[in-house]
Amino acid sequence: MIFRINKSLASRIVFYVLTFCVFLFLISLSLFYVFSKGTIEEMTYKNASAITQNTVYKTEQVLLTTEKILGNYKWLMEGNHLDCDSIMAYTQLIIKSNPEVLGCAIAFEPNYFPEKGRYFSPYTYRDDDSLISLNLGSAEFEYFVMDWYQIPAIIGKPYWSEPYFDAGGSDALVTTYSVPFYITAGEHRKMAGVITIDLSLDWLTDIVSSVHILETGYASVVSRHGTFVTHPNKDLIMNQTIFSYAKELESPKLREIGRDMQAGITNFASITFLNTDWIISHTPISSSNWSLAVVFPKSEMYAPLKRIGTVLILLIIIGLSLLTFIIVQIVTKQIAPLRHFANSALEIADGNFNTELPEIRTQDEMKDLHDSFGIMQKDLKTYIENLKETTAAKEKIESELRIAREIQMSLIPKIFPPFPDIKEIDLYAMLEPAKEVGGDLYDFFMIDDQHLCFAIGDVSGKGVPASLFMAVTRTLLRSAAPKQQSPREIVNSLNKSLSQGNESSMFVTFFIGIINIETGIFKYANAGHNPPIIMYSGGGVEMFEISKNIPLGLFPEHDYEEKERILSKTDCLFLYTDGITEAENCKNELYSEEKLINCLSLLEKAEPKESILEVARDVAEHVKENEQSDDLTMLSIIYYGK
C-alpha cells in the first residue's frame, strides 16, 4: 500500500483527502458522542426524578386518604359523648366505606369504661366478603404495650407502623395507621384511646411495580428502619433491610445511600454491585417516613447512544466508501493527462524530441503544463544540438590539450639517471602539473665535458598560456646556454628575449646553476625564484639566501647578479617551485619551507630520487584529500666529485 501511494499521485491525493475526512468524521463523532452523552444523562436523570416524584405522589394520595378518614373519625370521637355499645358500629362503618381498609380498631385506655373492664378495643376486619367484629383486649392480648398503641400515645400524634405480614389474617403485607384521640374532663384534656386502620400494601406493590425506567430499571420502597417493603426480588421483602443487603453485597456505598434514605434526603447516587454500575434516585414519602428508590443500570442509559453510534459508524463507512469511489474517479480523470506527459517526457528523454503531447482542452494548470512542455521540448532540441557541438569542440580541445601535455612533457628530460657515464654527479627531477598543462619547468644538460647546466622555473599563471611561456623559456635556455658560459649572461639573455613583445606581462621565476664537475665550483643566478636548499655532506641543511632579483620577462634592461659556491663531495642541492611550500590542506594550512627543511633534515644521506619521492609523499600526507592547486616541481643534484 505504501509503495502504491509513493508511486501514484492519484493514490496520494485520495489518501490525503480520505485521511482528512476520517479525521473530520472522528472529531465530529467525538463531539456528537460527548454532547449526546451529556444530553442523555440529563434527560434520564430528569425522567428518573419525574418517575420518582410521580410514584411518591400516587403513594401519598392513598396514605393521605387513609389519614383523612381517621382524622374525621377522631373528630367524631372527640366531639360526642361516647356510648360504649355504639363503638363497634363505628369500626364496621369504616370498613364498609373503604374497600382498601383491611381492619379498624378503636382501642381505649385501661378501665375507660368500667363496665367493660380493663380491656376495651372493638375491632372489625374484612374476611373475604364478610366482616368480623370482636374485642381485642384481654390478658393474653394486652394492646397497651404494642407499638401501634404505645408509640402514638407517647408522641401524641399519628403514627404509621412498620409494614408487617398479616399471617393467618389477610395473608398480605399490611401497615397500621394509628391516631390518638382525646376527651376533655373539666379543665383537663386527656387521651381516651387510639383509632387504627390496617391498610393492605398491595396497592403500593402495584404502584411501585408499575414503575419502568429504561429496560430493566425498577423501583423499591424501604421503611423508616430500612426494611424492604417492595422489591423485584421477593426474597428481600420484609426479610432484609438495605443495610443487611449492603453487608451481603459488601457495598459501603449502598449503606451510605440507606442512611440518606433514612434521613429523608432526595438525591442521585452512582453505585456498583452485582458486577453492574447502577444509578439510584431516592426521595422520601413524607407521610410515612418511608423512602422510594428508582434504580436503573448506567449501561442502559447509554444504550441508545451506542445504537446511534453504531448506525453513524456504518453510515460513515458507507459514506467514505462512496466518497473514495467518487474521488478516485474524479482524480483519475483529472490527472490522466499527467500520465501522458510522463510518457512523453520518457520519450523526450530517449531523444525523441518530436513526440506528440496530449491534447488539453481546459484552460487551467494542465494547459499551462502542456505549453511549458512544448517550450521545453523545443528548447531541449535546440540545447541538445548546441550541446553536441559544444561537446565535440570540448573533446577536440581536450584532445589538443592531451597532445599539448605530451609535447610539454617531452620538452623536459625524463630519463634517469641522465648521464650514466658521468660518475661525478647524480640527479633526479619530477614535475606534476595541477592541470592538463602547467607552467613549471626544469631542465639540465652538459654544456661541455666539465660543466653541467641545470635550471628550474615557475611561469606566472596556469594552463595553456603558462605552458607556452614555459616552452619558450626552455627553448631560449637551450639556445643561450652553449653560447654564454655564465649564469648571469644566460638569465640576462633570457630576460631580454622574454621581455620583447610580452604584451600580456607574463613572467617566470627562474633559477639557473652551472657546476664544474671536476672542481665543484658552483655558479648560479636567481631571478626571483624560491631559494634552493643544500644538504651538506658533513651533515646539516641550509637554505640559500633569498634573491633580490626580479623574475624574467618584466624589464629587458635589468642586470642580474651571479653568485658562486664550492661544493664538497656528497653535497646535495634541492630545487623546488612554490607549489611545494604553498600546498594547502583542507584547513588552508601551507606545507611551508619549515616543513620542507624538516623533511630534508631526515634525508641527509639519501639519493636524489629518494629525497624527491619522500618530499612528494610528505606533501601528499599534508594535503590529503584537498585538491592540488599548483604545479609540483622538484630537482635534486648530488655532487660526488672526482
Side-chain angles (χ1 to χ4, degrees), residues 73-138:
Y73 278 94
K74 172 188 176 183
W75 173 82
L76 183 62
M77 298 293 293
E78 292 178 341
N80 296 297
H81 177 70
L82 299 177
D83 181 5
C84 61
D85 293 331
S86 64
I87 300 300
M88 188 66 76
Y90 287 152
T91 62
Q92 293 173 352
L93 180 61
I94 291 173
I95 297 297
K96 290 179 181 179
S97 302
N98 301 280
E100 68 275 10
V101 175
L102 293 179
C104 178
I106 303 177
F108 288 88
E109 284 283 273
N111 298 314
Y112 187 84
F113 293 104
E115 66 273 23
K116 295 296 183 180
R118 177 176 174 79
Y119 308 100
F120 184 64
S121 177
Y123 176 62
T124 301
Y125 66 93
R126 193 184 304 277
D127 184 11
D128 294 331
D129 295 333
S130 60
L131 301 179
I132 300 176
S133 300
L134 52 86
N135 186 5
L136 289 177
S138 65

Side-chain angles (χ1 to χ4, degrees), residues 338-349:
L338 288 179
R339 286 194 292 271
H340 297 300
F341 281 130
N343 295 331
S344 299
L346 290 175
E347 291 187 17
I348 293 174

Side-chain angles (χ1 to χ4, degrees), residues 30 42 255 380 395 484 565 636:
S30 300
E42 182 180 359
R255 187 178 299 109
L380 273 177
E395 289 177 352
Q484 311 290 340
R565 284 183 179 232
S636 180

Side-chain angles (χ1 to χ4, degrees), residues 363-576:
Q363 299 297 323
D364 53 12
E365 290 82 357
M366 286 295 180
K367 179 64 175 176
D368 296 339
L369 182 62
H370 176 275
D371 296 340
S372 299
F373 254 89
I375 295 173
M376 181 191 71
Q377 194 174 18
K378 295 177 182 178
D379 291 346
L380 273 177
K381 185 176 181 180
T382 303
Y383 174 78
I384 293 299
E385 292 176 356
N386 294 335
L387 182 61
K388 289 179 179 179
E389 295 176 359
T390 303
T391 302
K394 182 180 178 182
E395 289 177 352
K396 182 178 180 181
I397 292 174
E398 290 177 350
S399 176
E400 292 175 351
L401 285 175
R402 285 194 297 271
I403 296 172
R405 178 185 177 88
E406 293 174 0
I407 294 173
Q408 180 188 17
M409 297 306 292
S410 67
L411 293 177
I412 60 176
K414 298 186 293 296
I415 299 174
F416 302 99
F419 312 113
D421 297 333
I422 301 176
K423 305 301 182 182
E424 290 83 358
I425 59 171
D426 187 20
L427 62 83
Y428 189 80
M430 183 185 79
L431 190 156
E432 184 177 340
K435 294 186 176 180
E436 286 80 359
V437 290
D440 282 9
L441 68 103
Y442 70 83
D443 199 3
F444 51 85
F445 50 88
M446 296 297 296
I447 299 176
D448 53 35
D449 294 340
Q450 296 180 357
H451 295 88
L452 170 67
C453 179
F454 60 92
I456 189 169
D458 185 1
V459 180
S460 61
K462 298 176 181 65
V464 174
S467 67
L468 292 175
F469 204 79
M470 167 264 194
V472 171
T473 302
R474 190 262 183 186
T475 302
L476 291 174
L477 171 63
R478 288 278 180 150
S479 174
K483 300 177 182 179
Q484 311 290 340
Q485 294 293 322
S486 167
R488 174 187 174 188
E489 294 174 352
I490 294 174
V491 294
N492 284 336
S493 175
L494 291 177
N495 182 50
K496 289 180 181 179
S497 299
L498 293 174
S499 299
Q500 294 175 0
N502 187 11
E503 296 179 358
S504 60
S505 298
M506 296 189 69
F507 60 87
V508 55
T509 63
F510 196 76
F511 182 91
I512 183 171
I514 297 176
I515 300 176
N516 187 322
I517 62 175
E518 291 186 356
T519 63
I521 296 174
F522 170 39
K523 297 179 181 181
Y524 61 93
N526 191 345
H529 195 73
N530 300 77
I533 297 173
I534 183 170
M535 295 178 284
Y536 293 109
S537 59
V541 177
E542 180 186 6
M543 180 174 287
F544 282 35
E545 70 280 2
I546 298 176
S547 172
K548 298 181 181 179
N549 292 324
I550 63 174
L552 304 179
L554 296 176
F555 302 103
E557 302 302 326
H558 182 75
D559 188 18
Y560 288 88
E561 179 184 5
E562 179 181 302
K563 293 185 178 182
E564 181 178 313
R565 284 183 179 232
I566 298 177
L567 299 178
S568 300
K569 290 185 178 181
T570 69
D571 282 351
C572 184
L573 297 173
F574 187 87
L575 288 74
Y576 58 94

Side-chain angles (χ1 to χ4, degrees), residues 58-76:
K58 291 180 181 179
T59 304
E60 292 279 15
Q61 289 292 2
V62 177
L63 297 179
L64 289 174
T65 301
T66 303
E67 292 177 359
K68 186 175 181 180
I69 293 172
L70 287 193
N72 293 333
Y73 278 94
K74 172 188 176 183
W75 173 82
L76 183 62

Side-chain angles (χ1 to χ4, degrees), residues 145-261:
V145 297
M146 294 185 177
D147 289 347
W148 58 267
Y149 187 93
Q150 189 178 32
I151 293 176
I154 293 174
I155 64 177
K157 60 182 180 180
Y159 170 74
W160 283 96
S161 71
E162 282 287 289
Y164 58 92
F165 191 74
D166 186 18
S170 61
D171 290 329
L173 191 62
V174 176
T175 183
T176 299
Y177 181 64
S178 305
V179 179
F181 63 93
Y182 300 84
I183 62 171
T184 303
E187 296 180 355
H188 300 284
R189 187 171 182 268
K190 65 176 183 178
M191 194 183 89
V194 174
I195 306 174
T196 68
I197 284 181
D198 296 334
L199 188 65
S200 172
L201 293 181
D202 289 344
W203 60 271
L204 179 61
T205 303
D206 293 339
I207 291 175
V208 175
S209 298
S210 66
V211 172
H212 295 290
I213 180 169
L214 303 179
E215 294 183 6
T216 60
Y218 63 90
S220 177
V221 176
V222 297
S223 68
R224 64 169 59 86
H225 297 310
T227 303
F228 286 107
V229 178
T230 66
H231 195 280
N233 186 356
K234 304 295 184 181
D235 295 335
L236 298 179
I237 299 176
M238 301 309 296
N239 292 324
Q240 286 202 45
T241 65
I242 191 172
F243 304 106
S244 64
Y245 192 50
K247 182 178 181 181
E248 179 181 317
L249 297 176
E250 298 181 352
S251 176
K253 181 67 175 179
L254 185 59
R255 187 178 299 109
E256 293 178 9
I257 294 173
R259 293 195 186 101
D260 290 343
M261 294 174 72

